[in-house]
Amino acid sequence: MNPSARLKPIGVFDSGIGGLTVLHELMRLLPRESTVYFGDTARVQYGNKSETTVQRFALEAAQLLMQHGIKFLVLACNTVSATSLTLLRQRLPVPVVGVIEPGAQAAAARSRGGHIGVIGTAATVESGAYQKAIAAWRPEANVVARACPLFVPLVEEGWTRHQVAEEVARIYLSPLKAEGVDTLVLGCTHYPLLADILSLVMGPEVNLINSASEVARVVRDELERRDLLGQASRPTHRVLVSDGPERFSRVARNFMGEDLGPVELVAVPAAAAVG
Ligand code: DGL
């Protein structure tokens, strides 16, 4: 492996701000890697858009990150991972990892009785990606999935401990509780920030699976396996957005509890048509 390839940054892509939960885990586990994060804030939310539209956005974002010389692409967004992973793997010259497979594997391994709940955006739940990935690891598992579209705006608003969030969680999660799930996959970038409320509603005996921390471990293993592990003594971290860098910085403080530094506004290149 050419040593300069190892010094290239890891690209992290999300529809907006929620993928910072993944970036945070990556920076913690891989402190000597440089990163370029792209949040498509001009077009968020992806979770209530069609598969074709999300795939087009994903190709365009990937093209942008390739222009920044990435060596590896992490799809922090569950909706993108659920709908576009195969397509991006076909089209890109760098390895691509999504959050579904690591989250599904962890859920299958940690569930005591095989009763697994999955929550995510409408697009993620409708794609069936988590359901399929869990079944591949644990075919006898009983998987119940539920879209929770109001969670994203609640988190964006910073209402992660608000009584309204708790009430919404009780409504969304009641069918999963009735099914007696022992493990709940937080299948959306924003949901780890609601973990306290979700745990309160589900009860302490239910495992919560955070796909963000699971994917960081997979990225480390993949980099190692491909001889791409970075050893930068002064890694750099760039954050790019397609709209509203000031708002992004502000909301980011809730997500990462720290200042991101400068957030750059970029234009997304148009990609070749999907299909
Ligand atoms: N990042 C998305 C996900 O993880 C949530 C926000 C959106 O709908 O774009 O599915």
Side-chain angles (χ1 to χ4, degrees):
M1 170 62 55
N2 172 355
S4 70
R6 294 196 201 105
L7 288 174
K8 290 179 169 183
I10 298 174
V12 182
F13 164 45
D14 183 45
S15 55
I17 201 149
L20 291 178
T21 52
V22 173
L23 180 67
H24 197 49
E25 291 294 331
L26 283 172
M27 286 166 66
R28 210 170 51 83
L29 199 67
L30 297 163
R32 300 184 71 183
E33 295 288 347
S34 292
T35 60
V36 184
Y37 180 95
F38 173 58
D40 195 3
T41 44
R43 306 191 287 197
V44 71
Q45 305 176 33
Y46 283 13
N48 42 27
K49 297 198 168 66
S50 71
E51 184 166 294
T52 320
T53 298
V54 175
Q55 288 180 341
R56 178 164 56 82
F57 291 173
L59 281 174
E60 292 172 356
Q63 198 165 312
L64 172 80
L65 286 165
M66 288 306 301
Q67 287 169 359
H68 285 80
I70 59 169
K71 64 179 174 185
F72 196 98
L73 177 61
V74 182
L75 305 177
C77 180
N78 287 256
T79 304
V80 171
S81 303
T83 56
S84 315
L85 177 66
T86 310
L87 179 72
L88 291 172
R89 280 189 172 152
Q90 284 162 359
R91 299 280 180 93
L92 296 189
V94 296
V96 187
V97 161
V99 280
I100 306 284
E101 190 60 31
Q105 192 181 346
R110 285 192 222 149
S111 167
R112 292 179 297 276
H115 299 292
I116 301 173
V118 175
I119 51 175
T121 65
T124 297
V125 168
E126 278 159 27
S127 77
Y130 269 114
Q131 296 91 316
K132 272 183 239 134
I134 293 169
W137 290 100
R138 196 154 169 184
E140 86 291 2
N142 165 35
V143 184
V144 195
R146 175 103 211 241
C148 304
L150 291 175
F151 281 167
V152 168
L154 282 168
V155 170
E156 294 268 333
E157 205 52 41
W159 287 21
T160 50
R161 290 195 166 78
H162 198 286
Q163 68 197 50
V164 169
E166 187 179 327
E167 193 50 38
V168 171
R170 288 195 190 283
I171 296 167
Y172 279 147
L173 300 181
S174 68
L176 305 185
K177 278 193 81 156
E179 285 281 334
V181 304
D182 59 43
T183 300
L184 181 67
V185 180
L186 310 186
C188 173
T189 45
H190 289 58
Y191 300 176
L193 290 139
L194 291 167
D196 289 349
I197 279 182
L198 299 176
S199 183
L200 182 80
V201 171
M202 293 305 288
E205 66 293 347
V206 174
N207 301 311
L208 299 187
I209 305 293
N210 176 351
S211 298
S213 40
E214 300 305 328
V215 76
R217 276 191 284 274
V218 171
V219 173
R220 182 194 54 197
D221 295 350
E222 277 297 303
L223 288 173
E224 215 158 24
R225 197 171 69 78
R226 294 168 188 269
D227 194 17
L228 276 174
L229 216 46
Q231 296 294 339
S233 47
R234 301 174 107 200
T236 58
H237 302 286
R238 288 182 73 178
V239 178
L240 320 175
V241 295
S242 51
D243 193 28
E246 302 80 16
R247 175 176 152 75
F248 189 92
S249 300
R250 203 167 354 102
V251 183
R253 272 178 226 120
N254 290 342
F255 277 86
M256 301 196 67
E258 61 194 63
D259 236 317
L260 283 178
V263 175
E264 302 165 50
L265 182 64
V266 292
V268 191
V274 178

